[in-house]
């Protein structure tokens, strides 16, 4: 063993026994060896004498690389030597110059022979047919040497397909051209001989060497796509292939290989009339019996793929051919094969390349143009529905995972949700084509599910319910409400159903979802409302043992109440009695909700109750009684929790906080059912109850001033009370705002500003006194937190602190905008607020010129426009705010209305930027209206002059502004002026 062989063995070692330094040295050594000018002859020499398979593989790999990279620079002698040597190897002959006892590469393992085939294909790429034209013709006689050379011939053909011909892999333009050249030459020179050889080999080796026959048929399958189909579809090959498929005694591997060849024949692209003749000739019915066997066997799976492929081609022919060209024949062939295809779809593993949904969708699509479906069509529709029912069923293997909803169950559920989408689209299409058949099928599926006495049928029950749920999407509102036909039978059947597997999470969920989907049926058929309520209120829904189901039932029940509302008034007593334990349980537990989505946090049951008892249809005495029965114990729990809070240890205190959170959520949810008109105008006593509740909840902020979750929940309730109580909430606001202002952290300030924005938008000038008190405090804190210019980026990216600052900045500008646009700008001029006027002006000015968010810049410009209108009476009026007029004319107009739009970052192609530009133009129009020639003279003589605006453009600007043109025309002119100034500046900087 020489040094090269040792280095190769070390570099190939995967045992971990070789020192990493030594392995690295070995790799370096063999890489350097590749640079030897005689590397090809050295590799061929090694292949002749080394029996080490690692060495053989490395030498072939090296030859492959050198040929690919250096072929064009090789001498003709080198190329000839490599060609002859490699051909000798594949023909199981000694290489020229070596003795008869030299090593034969064909005796090596498969991975070495595959690498040798790759080397041959590389030579074919460069040399066939121009240089090495006799390759295939010379190779064929050597196949008489037996299986070892035949096997190598198949490997070469397959490698040629993989490396060059097959379009299953992306190819470059050069590779496509070379592949075309090779195929053209082979068709002329040797394809018929190769096909004849394939036939002879299969005939000779079918009994003695089935594995070799499989290799031959694998090559056939690949090459059928581009050779003359007549070479295969003839009286010799087709009978042989079907004989191999149908003979029970033969190995499955051989039968499967023959099936794949026939599938390649079926799938070959050709003109549809020729394809129809081909399909007829195959007499495919003879393989139908094979799919009834062992569904897991290899032959059944391959025949399943053949039948689906055949059906796809027959369907395509039926679509493309006219009646004269054989449309009827193609339909007959399709009808002949479809029962077997439907069986395959339900019972066999279908090839992943075949899309069940796509095929069925196309087939159902052909029915849409028919005036009436034939009996055969109706039978097929029923079979397609069976396929859908089978396909959408969950795998029972995952039943426990799905019920517990662990990681595996969650992944499986997500996968099935995605998988089912197209199947449900198909179902809806069938429902439109054959509504009666679809509804009868679903009725029968539901009947079967209802009658099932075995818990093991959970997946079948879930699938049947899912079909009924999906059907609802294809029904119109009128059809849903009237419940004509079978629907009127299906919904009551669903309501009265008691499945043995109802404890199963998936079954329970889809059952409730389905009832909710058909809720419009109950609005017209009120006699079924008690049954529907029962489904939600008993152990099938809200009292289901699985918390995920009970919480989902609460959410769906709330949706039902929203829809049926007044129709539920007679049942309020029954509903409230049924929910007593659930209401109590919700406010006792605080942990489980963390794992559930926002739409299933459990507070929806309180929202449903609020919607029920908040209706004006409920007598006032009863309404007060119901509300008091809910609010009183909840408020008492809060008061007790607050009294005990200080004496509890930290763990108990956390539990108390959790319970208080739940209670606030519950009260908040209840209040959603009460309108402002009811609690303030028609039934003020109800409003008083909510005000008393608010007073109690505000004390939470005193006891727990720094507990953010509680602060958020109380703030949320204040928002709700502002909407519910209207102006009658005012007496409660000073205390609420005082408590909320005790904390000045960034996050808390944002929440406080959002609340003030709501108050301003709802009550406008009605909150003047409140704003005059709180604005100076807020302004002091915000200006202390926010930088005067940009928020500096944090090293390493956007941190939570930076995000909070950005949110505070946006919310503060919204707050200022709300004040300015709701006739409250005098708040800025109050004795306490005036001290922050300069800071506010500078912040607004910088922002409207520089902020990266265009919408924020627009809001700031709008604030300035409103302040100009409010604080400036006219060209000769009294100046209400000393210095404001000159600031606007000299600073705002110049920087915002001119310099900022001249900046190249101001993109006129952006829609939002154009909206901002419109506001900037409007600001100029307002300034001219309020300041007259004072504005015009300064802007034109000073600002325009600073940017070297030509005199004629400045005069046109004055004319456009003075003529009182509509804002659209002024905007268009000003844009053209700015664009001309940009060109004139040629990209130079604008001085601000």
């Amino acid at each position: 063993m020489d040094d090269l062989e040792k280095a190769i063995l070390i570099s190939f070692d995967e045992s971990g026994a070789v020192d990493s330094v030594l392995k690295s040295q070995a790799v370096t050594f063999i890489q350097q060896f590749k640079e030897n000018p005689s590397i090809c002859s050295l590799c061929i020499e090694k292949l002749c004498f080394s029996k080490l398979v690692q060495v053989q593989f490395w030498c072939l790999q090296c030859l492959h690389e050198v040929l690919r990279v250096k072929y064009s620079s090789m001498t003709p002698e080198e190329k000839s030597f490599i060609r002859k040597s490699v051909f000798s190897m594949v023909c199981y002959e000694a290489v020229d110059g070596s003795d008869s006892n030299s090593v034969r590469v064909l005796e090596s393992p498969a991975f070495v022979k595959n690498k040798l085939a790759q080397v041959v294909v590389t030579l074919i790429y460069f040399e066939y047919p121009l240089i090495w034209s006799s390759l295939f013709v010379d190779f064929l006689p050597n196949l008489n040497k037996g299986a070892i050379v035949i096997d190598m011939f198949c490997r070469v053909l397959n490698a040629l397909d993989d490396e060059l011909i097959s379009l299953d892999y992306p190819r470059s333009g050069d590779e496509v051209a070379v592949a075309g050249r090779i195929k053209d030459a082979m068709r002329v020179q040797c394809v018929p001989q190769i096909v004849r050889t394939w036939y002879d080999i299969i005939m000779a080796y079918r009994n003695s060497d089935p594995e070799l026959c499989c290799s031959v048929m694998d090559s056939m399958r690949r090459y059928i796509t581009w050779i003359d189909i007549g070479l295969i579809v003839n009286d010799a090959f087709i009978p042989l292939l079907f004989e191999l498929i149908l003979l029970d005694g033969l190995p499955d591997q051989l039968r499967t290989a023959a099936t794949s060849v026939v599938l390649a024949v079926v799938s070959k692209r050709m003109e549809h009339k020729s394809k129809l003749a081909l399909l007829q000739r195959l007499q495919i019915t003879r393989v139908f019996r094979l799919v009834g066997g062992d569904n897991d066997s290899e032959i059944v799976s391959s025949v399943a793929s053949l039948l689906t492929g055949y059906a796809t081609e027959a369907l395509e022919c039926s679509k493309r051919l006219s009646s004269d060209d054989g449309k009827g024949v193609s339909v007959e062939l399709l009808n002949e094969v479809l029962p077997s295809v439907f069986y395959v779809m339900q019972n066999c593993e279908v090839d992943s390349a075949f899309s069940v949904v796509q095929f069925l969708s196309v087939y159902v699509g052909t029915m849409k143009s028919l005036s009436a479906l034939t009996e055969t069509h109706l039978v097929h529709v029923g079979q397609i529905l069976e396929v859908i029912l089978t396909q959408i069923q969950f795998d029972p293997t995952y039943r426990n995972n799905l019920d517990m909803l662990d990681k595996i169950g969650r992944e499986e559920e997500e996968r099935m949700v995605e998988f089912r989408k197209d199947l449900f689209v198909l179902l809806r299409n069938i429902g439109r084509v054959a509504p009666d058949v679809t509804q009868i099928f679903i009725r029968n599926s539901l009947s079967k599910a209802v009658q099932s006495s075995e818990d093991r049928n959970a997946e079948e029950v879930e699938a049947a319910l899912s079909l009924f749920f999906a059907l609802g999407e294809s029904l119109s509102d009128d059809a849903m409400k009237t419940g004509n036909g079978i629907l009127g039978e299906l919904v009551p059947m669903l309501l009265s159903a008691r499945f043995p597997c109802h404890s199963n999470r998936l079954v329970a969920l889809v059952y409730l979802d389905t009832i909710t989907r058909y809720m419009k049926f109950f609005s017209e058929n009120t006699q079924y409302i008690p049954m529907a309520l029962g489904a939600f209120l008993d152990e099938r829904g809200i009292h289901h043992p699985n918390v995920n189901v009970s919480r989902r039932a609460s959410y769906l029940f709330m949706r039902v109440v929203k829809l049926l509302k007044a129709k539920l008034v007679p049942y309020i007593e029954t509903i409230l009695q049924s929910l007593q334990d659930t209401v109590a349980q919700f406010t006792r537990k605080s942990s489980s909700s963390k794992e559930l989505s926002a739409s299933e946090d459990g507070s929806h049951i309180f929202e449903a109750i609020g919607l029920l008892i908040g209706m004006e249809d409920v007598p006032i005495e009863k309404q007060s009684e119901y509300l008091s029965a809910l609010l009183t114990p909840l408020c008492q729990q809060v008061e007790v929790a607050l009294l005990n809070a200080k004496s509890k240890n930290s763990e108990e205190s956390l539990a108390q906080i959790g319970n208080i959170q739940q209670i606030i959520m519950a009260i908040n949810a209840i209040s959603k059912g009460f309108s402002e008109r009811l609690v303030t105008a028609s039934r003020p006593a109800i409003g008083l109850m909510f005000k008393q509740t608010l007073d109690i909840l505000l004390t939470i902020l005193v006891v727990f001033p720094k507990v953010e979750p509680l602060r958020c929940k109380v703030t949320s309730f204040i928002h709700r009370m502002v909407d519910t109580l209207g102006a009658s909430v005012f007496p409660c606001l000073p205390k609420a705002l005082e408590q909320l202002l005790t904390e000045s952290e960034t996050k808390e300030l944002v929440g406080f500003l959002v609340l003030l924005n709501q108050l301003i938008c709802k009550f406008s000038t009605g909150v003047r006194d409140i704003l005059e008190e709180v604005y100076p405090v807020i302004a002091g804190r915000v200006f202390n937190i926010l930088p005067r210019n940009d928020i500096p980026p944090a090293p390493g990216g956007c941190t939570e602190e930076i995000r909070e600052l950005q949110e505070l900045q946006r919310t503060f500008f919204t707050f200022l905008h709300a004040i300015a646009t709701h006739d409250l700008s005098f708040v800025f001029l109050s004795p306490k607020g005036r001290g922050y006027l300069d800071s506010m002006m500078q912040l607004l000015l910088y922002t409207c010129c520089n902020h990266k968010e265009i919408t924020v810049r627009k809001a700031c410009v709008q604030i300035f426009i409103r302040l100009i209108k409010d604080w400036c009476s006219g060209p000769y009026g009294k100046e209400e705010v000393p210095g404001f007029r000159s600031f606007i004319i000299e600073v705002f107009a110049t920087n915002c209305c001119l310099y900022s739009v001249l900046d190249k970052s101001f993109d006129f192609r952006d829609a939002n930027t154009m909206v901002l530009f419109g506001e900037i133009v409007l600001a100029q129009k307002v300034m001219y209206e309020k300041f007259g020639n004072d504005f015009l003279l300064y802007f034109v003589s000073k600002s325009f002059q600073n940017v070297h605006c030509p005199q004629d453009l400045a005069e046109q600007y004055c004319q456009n502004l003075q003529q009182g043109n509509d804002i659209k025309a002024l905007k268009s002119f000003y844009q053209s002026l700015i664009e001309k100034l940009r060109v004139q500046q040629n990209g130079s900087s604008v001085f601000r």
Side-chain angles (χ1 to χ4, degrees), residues 915-927:
V915 175
L916 167 62
F917 185 68
E919 295 296 332
I920 288 171
V921 173
L922 177 62
Q924 294 169 61
K925 193 173 174 66
V926 171
M927 284 188 283

Side-chain angles (χ1 to χ4, degrees), residues 116-160:
L116 175 59
Q118 246 186 336
V119 174
V120 176
V121 170
T122 308
L123 287 169
I124 292 172
Y125 179 89
F126 289 113
E127 299 189 346
Y128 183 81
L130 300 177
I131 299 169
W132 194 6
S133 60
S134 63
L135 165 63
F136 294 104
V137 176
D138 292 342
F139 207 150
L140 289 172
N142 284 282
L143 302 185
N144 291 328
K145 293 174 183 173
I148 195 165
V149 181
I150 296 170
D151 173 72
M152 191 63 219
F153 182 63
C154 291
R155 289 179 194 276
V156 170
L157 291 178
N158 292 352
L160 179 59

Side-chain angles (χ1 to χ4, degrees), residues 28 109 206 337 361 370 567-568 596 602 626 677 839 846 902:
T28 304
R206 57 187 287 188
V337 74
S361 298
L370 302 175
K567 293 183 172 66
L568 297 178
L596 298 165
Y626 294 147
R677 195 181 68 80
S839 296
Y846 182 85
L902 273 173

Side-chain angles (χ1 to χ4, degrees), residues 380-421:
H380 289 168
V381 165
Q383 290 174 313
I384 293 171
L385 291 168
E386 287 283 1
V387 170
I388 295 173
L389 182 63
T390 304
Q391 292 270 328
I392 66 171
Q393 286 184 28
F394 280 88
D395 186 341
T397 310
Y398 298 107
R399 186 182 296 173
N400 290 334
N401 303 101
L402 287 160
D403 219 30
M404 295 184 295
L405 205 59
D406 57 16
K407 184 174 181 290
I408 295 171
R410 198 170 283 110
E411 287 174 358
E412 178 63 10
E413 187 167 15
E414 287 170 3
R415 186 192 70 79
M416 280 297 284
V417 166
E418 193 60 35
F419 173 73
R420 285 174 160 191
K421 284 179 181 175

Side-chain angles (χ1 to χ4, degrees), residues 715-836:
T715 305
S716 175
F717 184 63
I718 297 171
H719 278 291
R720 171 57 52 192
M721 288 300 97
V722 169
D723 280 339
T724 304
L725 296 173
S728 63
V729 78
F730 272 38
C732 305
L733 287 178
K735 180 182 177 183
L737 297 176
E738 180 189 351
Q739 292 302 325
L740 289 172
L741 264 178
T742 55
E743 287 299 312
S744 58
E745 293 299 319
T746 305
K747 211 169 183 179
E748 283 73 22
L749 268 177
V750 170
F752 188 73
L753 287 170
V754 170
L755 176 60
L756 287 177
N757 288 343
Q758 182 195 17
L759 291 169
I760 294 167
C761 292
K762 187 169 181 68
F763 302 115
S764 195
T765 53
V767 291
R768 172 176 181 164
D769 294 342
I770 291 172
L771 278 180
E772 286 186 344
E773 283 297 317
V774 299
Y775 172 72
V777 182
I778 291 167
R781 292 182 184 177
V782 170
F783 290 129
N784 193 42
I785 294 171
L786 288 180
R788 292 293 177 266
N789 300 325
D790 290 327
I791 296 171
C798 191
T799 63
E800 185 63 31
E801 184 183 352
I802 295 296
R803 278 192 288 271
E804 287 180 4
L805 282 175
Q806 290 170 341
E807 184 63 25
L808 175 61
Q809 187 189 63
R810 277 192 293 269
T811 312
F812 183 59
F813 286 131
T814 305
F815 171 61
L816 296 179
H817 188 271
I819 291 175
T821 55
H822 285 82
D823 300 316
L824 289 163
S825 61
F826 46 77
V827 169
F828 300 133
L829 305 178
S830 68
K832 292 180 183 176
R834 206 177 261 270
Y836 298 102

